[in-house]
Amino acid sequence: MLSIVSTPIWNLEDITLRALRTLREADIIACEDTRTSWVLLHHYEISKPLISFHAHSWDVKVEKIITLLQEWKHVALISDAGTPGISDPAYILVKRAIEEQITIVPIPGASAVLSALVGSWMHMHDFRFLGFLPVKKGRETMFKSLINKDYTVVVYESVHRILRTLSDMEKYLGADHQIVVARELTKKFEEFKHGTIQECRTHFEQNICKGEFVIIF
Ligand code: SAM
C-alpha cells in the first residue's frame, strides 16, 4: 500500500491525526530530502527507515520503492512540504504505483495552493492551478493565453523569480490588473498583498522580498 501523506507547509501544527497515525504505521517513509524529513518526523517523535527519491534520481529510486510495495510493505510518501505531487516529483512514484496496481491511499492536508486561494479575495468556484510558470520556453505564450481569462489562476513562484514574474504580468496582463500575492503562508510573517500588479510589484521591490510565494489573479 502506498499512502500519500500531506505534511505542513511550515507550521508544524498543520498535520492531521490520520497523517500521524499513517506515518507511525508505515514500514518505510519515502521522501524527497531525508534530512528535511528527518527533522519533521523527529518533531512528531516518529522514527522510521527513510528512502529518498527526487527528480534527479527518480528512475532508480522509484523502482526500488515499487519493489518494496510489491513485497507488501506499507510505504508512506511525503514531500519536503505540503501535499505530495503538487508541484513536486512525487507524482512520478504515484504514477508507477498505479501502473503496478498498488493500492493508493491519499491522506489530505496542507497545501499552499488552497491556503492562498481561500485567503485571497478572488472567486474560487472556477480556478486553475498552473504550478510553476515556464521559465523560458512557453512563458510568453502562457501569459498571452491568460489575457482574457474568465477564471481565477493560481501559480507558485520562488523568491528568485517573483519580481521578474510580476514584471512580466504587468507587461502582458496590464498594470491595473487586480492580483493577490500570498507570501510565507502559515509562517510568522505570513502576508497577503492585495492590489494591482503594479502596486504589488512596487511593494515587493521596496520591501525585503523573502520567502515563498503564491500569486492569484
Ligand atoms: N507540495 C507543496 C504544496 O502542496 O503546496 C508545493 C511544493 S513546490 C516545490 C514549492 C512552492 O510552493 C514554493 O515555491 C511556493 O510557491 C509554494 N509554497 C510552499 N510553501 C509555501 C508557503 N509556506 N507560503 C507560500 N508559498 C508556499
Side-chain angles (χ1 to χ4, degrees):
M1 179 168 75
L2 177 65
S3 297
I4 306 162
V5 182
S6 299
T7 58
I9 54 174
W10 180 263
N11 189 319
L12 294 169
E13 291 177 344
D14 293 336
I15 191 159
T16 68
L17 297 174
R18 190 173 170 218
L20 290 174
R21 178 176 57 74
T22 303
L23 293 170
R24 288 193 183 107
E25 285 176 0
D27 298 306
I28 295 163
I29 298 178
C31 56
E32 287 181 73
D33 182 330
T34 49
R35 284 163 302 180
T36 305
S37 294
W38 188 88
V39 174
L40 178 85
L41 295 166
H42 183 71
H43 176 82
Y44 302 119
E45 298 178 358
I46 295 171
S47 173
K48 292 280 169 179
L50 298 180
I51 181 165
S52 75
F53 81 99
H54 34 71
H56 314 296
S57 68
W58 69 270
D59 42 356
V60 179
K61 291 292 178 67
V62 165
E63 291 316 313
K64 199 169 166 189
I65 297 167
I66 292 292
T67 303
L68 291 167
L69 288 161
Q70 286 169 331
E71 290 167 357
W72 302 103
K73 295 275 192 277
H74 178 189
V75 179
L77 170 64
I78 61 174
S79 50
D80 282 350
T83 299
I86 303 297
S87 294
D88 64 41
Y91 74 92
I92 300 167
L93 175 59
V94 178
K95 181 170 180 287
R96 275 292 293 125
I98 290 169
E99 283 167 5
E100 296 300 325
Q101 301 189 332
I102 287 156
T103 304
I104 306 286
V105 182
I107 313 291
S111 191
V113 51
L114 287 185
S115 303
L117 187 65
V118 299
S120 76
W121 63 16
M122 301 293 183
H123 70 82
M124 40 197 101
H125 51 272
D126 182 9
F127 74 91
R128 314 244 167 124
F129 172 58
L130 301 182
F132 290 102
L133 292 168
V135 178
K136 288 183 189 150
K137 197 166 178 280
R139 189 171 168 90
E140 187 177 338
T141 311
M142 171 72 82
F143 279 122
K144 285 183 175 167
S145 74
L146 298 172
I147 289 172
N148 292 318
K149 68 180 179 60
D150 56 2
Y151 46 85
T152 298
V153 172
V154 186
V155 297
Y156 281 170
E157 197 47 277
S158 73
V159 67
H160 311 293
R161 266 190 292 275
I162 184 70
L163 293 178
R164 179 185 159 204
T165 293
L166 291 174
S167 176
D168 284 349
M169 286 176 66
E170 193 171 334
K171 178 174 160 193
Y172 292 107
L173 305 180
D176 293 335
H177 197 95
Q178 293 287 330
I179 63 168
V180 178
V181 181
R183 186 177 78 89
E184 298 290 72
L185 291 161
T186 79
K187 303 186 189 181
K188 187 175 176 188
F189 296 108
E190 178 176 270
E191 176 183 16
F192 282 87
K193 175 65 187 165
H194 303 79
T196 65
I197 296 176
Q198 188 177 42
E199 286 165 350
C200 290
R201 182 182 54 74
T202 307
H203 170 81
F204 287 111
E205 270 173 6
Q206 289 176 351
N207 293 279
I208 299 165
C209 187
K210 280 186 185 165
E212 300 186 279
F213 299 82
V214 183
I215 311 173
I216 303 145
F217 56 100

